[in-house]
Amino acid sequence: AARALPFGERVRHPKWKVRNEAWSEVASTSELVPWYAGEHAELFVIGVSDTNSAAQATALEALCAALGAAQSGEDALVSSHGAAVCKGVCSKCLSGRPNTVKRAKESLLLFAELGRGDLIVDAVVAYALPHKVSKVALAGVEALTEALRTYGSKALDVKGLLRQVPKLFDAKDVKVRGAAKELTAEFCRWIHPGVIREVLLQGAREALKKDVEALISQNEGQQVKPLKALRGEEEPAAVAGGEATAEEGVEAGAGAGAPAKEEPKIDAFDLSEPVAVLPDLAEFWSGLKEQKWSKRRDALLVLRVKASVPKIEHGDFLPVAKELKRVVSSDSNVSCVNAAIDCVDFLARGLRKSFRAPAKLLFPVLLEKYKEKSAAVTRSIHKSLGSVLEMSVSVADVQEDLVKNIKHKNPKNKVETLKLCCAALQVSREASSVAKVHDTVLKEATKATQDSSPDVREAATQLVIEFARIAGGAHAIESYLGQIDNARMSKIMRALQGSGGEEEPKPVKAATKRPTTASSKKPKGKEAKPKPTPTTSSSSSKGIPSRPIQMEGAVEELRGLFGEETFEGLKSATWKDRLQAVKDIRERAKDLCSGSEAKVDVLVAALCQVPGWGDSNFQVLLNVFEIFLDIVQGDHRVTREVAELMVAGCVEKIADAKLNAKVCDLLDKCAAAVNQELLVMKVLGKSKSHRNPKVLLESLEWVSNSLSRTSARRVDPKTLIEATKLHLGHSNPNIRLAATNVLAMVIACRGLENKSYLGEVKPTVMANIDATVADLRANKGITPASPKKTPSRKGAGAREVVVEVEEEAALDAVDSQLPSGVLDRLGDTNWKTRRAALDELKQVARTRKDAVRANVSGIIGALRLRLHDANKNLIIVTLEILQHLPSSFDAKLWERHGKIIIADVLRVLCDNKKAVREAGCLTLHTWTDKFALKSMQTYLVGFVSDAKTNVDGKVSVLSFLSEVADESALQLEDCLQDALSIVADCLLGKALSLREAATALLKSLVEVFQVEKVKEQMASCTKAHQECLVACLTKLGHIAPPAGSEAKRPRTSLSRRSSQGARAARPATAGARVTPSSTPKAAPKAAAEADAFAENGDKAERARKGRKRSAVSKPLVEDLQRPETLRTLESCLAQHCTQNLRSLLFHTDFKKHCAAVEVIASLVEDESSLQGVLDNLDLVLQWFAIRICEGNMQVLVKILDCVGGLADALKARGHSVTDYEAGCLLPCLVEKCGHNIDRIRQSYRELLTKLADVYSPKPLVLSLLQGTSSKNHRTKVVCVEVLEALYASHDSEFHSSKIIKEVASLIQERDVTLKNKALALLSAVYQNVGAGIWRYLSSVPEPVKATLEAKFKTLEPVAAASRTPGSAKRPGTAPAAPRTPSSERATPTSSLKFRASPARRGPA
């Protein structure tokens, strides 16, 4: 009976079942026009407010159906009754059951899709956010976030909504506060950060400020693009539909000639309230009149701070501009000039068009200031003028000033002005406005393409290219291009063709031949060829099957494979229908796709789109991943494209707690089926750009677990480390920890030598990585690949003060008390207790400035003691704390406290550990902002002049001052005399590194302050210092030497000893300097006609002086790279070779070195000149060693060939090499034989084997044994291979406990090739001596002994078999030879052979 009632009475019926049935009919009907545009639209107001939850849910379903069918926001349901409906949804439905809340959110999103986002904003703000039930507010915030993410800023009133966010941050429910952060993160993508800071951070708590700043830093700068268009608008290109879909969308857009427009960013200027700046500038006007530059700078900073708002209230800013012009043009202080230029930038951004007149006044002054050498000033001018041209004036308004500066006599002004014009044209690409400056700027730019300076020509060419692009091609500006030559015109045409700026280039006056368009020659099929992914190395994709997948038609092909019913179920709005459809596909997929790889591609591509990764039901996605698992585990070959599609879905859902386990399982199976390195790099590449940080965190954790299961054997350590180390600086501490774990796993599994790929990493980060590696070794049994020390890392730049503040929750109340007993624990005898106390104090120094200020005396005193700690790591942590302390004080107060401890900090610079010295230098740099260098200079002078200060400490101080001079020279202006005294003291030092550092500092001072000022300050120095500085300046070319004389070199202690030693002959090995007084003797007259060495008997005397050198001595390769060694060798060879040969040997050009090697090789081949080579063989071999250490490939190859020929000549003549001669070259050959090129290693291997013919085998074997302890595993392998080759002919030399023990220790190495080589050598020894080998192996570790016993059981000693009477060979068995390859032996040894992957297996 109730069904016969009118619909209006049915929805008001007292029985809920009647109301529920009525709304069910609406939800299922297809004729919805009366419900969204007719008389029944108002009934939805009653339905959403129904007191029965079932009827209310059905009414919401009907509402969603009606809104989905609505045509626009003008329909009655939206325009007339939308406000009431949204009110009912927010006040009644959001507090209901989960399904009701979900449909309520869907209805609100549909209102936004219809262009009425204002309705949902008003309703949520008025009824949902202030609701007493917290889950209503939570649902309202989530709905707003989803609407903003889906439809963009144009769908919602973001300005009004943003002002409600601070209230949400103070909500009692933690979930509401978390949702507010998510909403703020979405705001960051659409709104300028300045607006967010202005609205959210004014008067906010410190904790709130930190949270908002973190969200801004994470989401600022992301690409803004709505996921879905509003109703009636054109659909945007899919952003989450996979890589292939995105690429196709781009190609389609490009083909149509209309690329997709991106969502415009909301302008902070339009959303902000104007701020009055002019009334608050009293401090600015008074400060500019001060004589002291720091006060003038502070006054300018006041204006800068006041103007750094998004929008400034209009007013008369011409007086301000005139003052800024005066400062820029006449102030001598760079800091003041820089501050004034920055003020122009902020005023232009805040005033926009109102700043037009002041901008035109300032423009020529700023252009003229380009002549300044300071890079900081140039950057500031670029930024300020760029803002002026973008916001206040156009290029046409200032074209006269631009043309004048392009004609400037200073090339730097020309270059920077041309770059500025190019940047301005790229911002404003309107052809009509740009055409106004063709006769001025463009005409002058074409003239500048013929300038004498290459930088000017290049900048002018780029500007001409930009003009041509905006005009539509070179033909549009053809009349201006007559002065450009053909070569440069060709470059312009190529640039236009590459950017698509010109389809068919037309000939111009200067171009005699029209360049051919590249696209006309390219086959059409090659245009769509996908480019290789940059994150995947070429080696990782080699051997992986590849097959292109067509994403566009995959969905329609899926409909044909599984039927219409299943396909409609996949697209259903009901999750149960989608789940059932996915289950049906899973059941039928195995039969349908068996034997057909094309169907597999269709299935994967279609499921990525329908239901797609945006499906909200986890059960549906769980079954999709199950289908993918069945595909990977089945008989199908997974191609690279299929794996990439699966990875895209896995990365999207890896942060879902319900799907994480299945996603990780699928990734593991894909890595096993395709390629682990490819999968790992794809996962890292996709998760890096994801807006959810938890995706990156979970991805890194999966990578770490995957590497631990395979011991990182299937990945390239360098590629993975370079891709992961980027996340060490992430703002999220959990992500930093996960990245540290991945890097530690790679280093622990693949060897400590891979730490070199980390590059410049902060000491604290490196310490964390080292600790994690140690933990993996101790707890998981992972050992390093080789016992190598961590390579030293280059120190960070001086001004890069890396003080990274951990993102932790700030304390609600400021506490001025230190943690209980922390200062007492700093003096504990246990270093772990001291380390824990330092970490605690470090946290206090970062976050609790009041506590630092209240206890500064106790902190300074305790830290002074820790600077003398025996544990170097604790000294580094102490220095890191001292880097944080200045931020808690003003400059004057910290200078007073810093004077107490600066002497102890300087003493740290004398430490023998480089990491400690670098931390000390970094501490001094962090203090320069709060500790005047003039006050610090007294301590620096005393430190350098102190006799207890070592060379490292002095060099560290000089490097610190050099970097200060380069970056902030004004701090050195008041203490230049002290700096020159330090330089002079160090120039008189003995150490070469000290003199070089002093010379570098002096060079920096001259560049900054000019020679005249330096000479003026030198006048007050002592006479000895003046002479020293004058000599150095003369050497640098800043002072001309007196006519007819040479500059006098300062008499150091080393030179005084040299003059005193004139009575006795100087040893040949000493570092002699070639000076006019010690000019080498001329070459003998007999050798003047041709290049040759003179026969002499001086080699015995040289051998006597260098008797400590032998082939088995420690190979000091570093000694060969010192300049003194080369100068000493030159002075010795000058007496025994022709002038021409000497010039070739010691020329700076490597080509001359190659010619010298060829001359020596010809002398070796000639019997008449060979004796001269033999008489000077030690000097020739020393020269060979020095050039090998230099590393030039061409010289190295020629030297190896020449030494091989020399060995053959010596063998033919019956000449043997002495220990002294071998010691000149052999240690270098052993150290460098592990070259990274195979053919070079082979040359080393053959040469070392050949040396046994001309040199005693015993010292040769001992020298090769030293090579087995090298840091380079390739060097170890080559040395063992040479030892194995030598054993065939000199086996008696190996029968000693020292040699066999050293070889046996190599079995413990992780390198498989090295293990096998060592095992083969010991097997040969066993076959030769039998059980007697164990007397040499009595003290080897038990694992090594067990391995050898198992190996020796399969071998038959030759000596034992020969002693058995009547022993005969078994038929068909090969004789057991000592060095028979394992593949030819009758007895199997595969069980003891270490297996290696093909990529790591050594040569057979």
Side-chain angles (χ1 to χ4, degrees), residues 710-736:
T710 60
S711 298
R713 297 286 183 186
R714 304 175 184 173
V715 297
D716 178 27
K718 179 180 179 182
T719 306
L720 182 55
I721 289 175
E722 290 178 349
T724 308
K725 70 180 182 181
L726 303 175
H727 306 305
L728 291 175
H730 201 279
S731 59
N732 191 314
N734 294 327
I735 292 178
R736 294 199 299 270

Side-chain angles (χ1 to χ4, degrees), residues 346-357:
F346 286 107
L347 290 173
R349 292 181 180 277
L351 289 169
R352 302 289 173 94
K353 295 299 182 183
S354 302
F355 194 63
R356 186 171 184 272

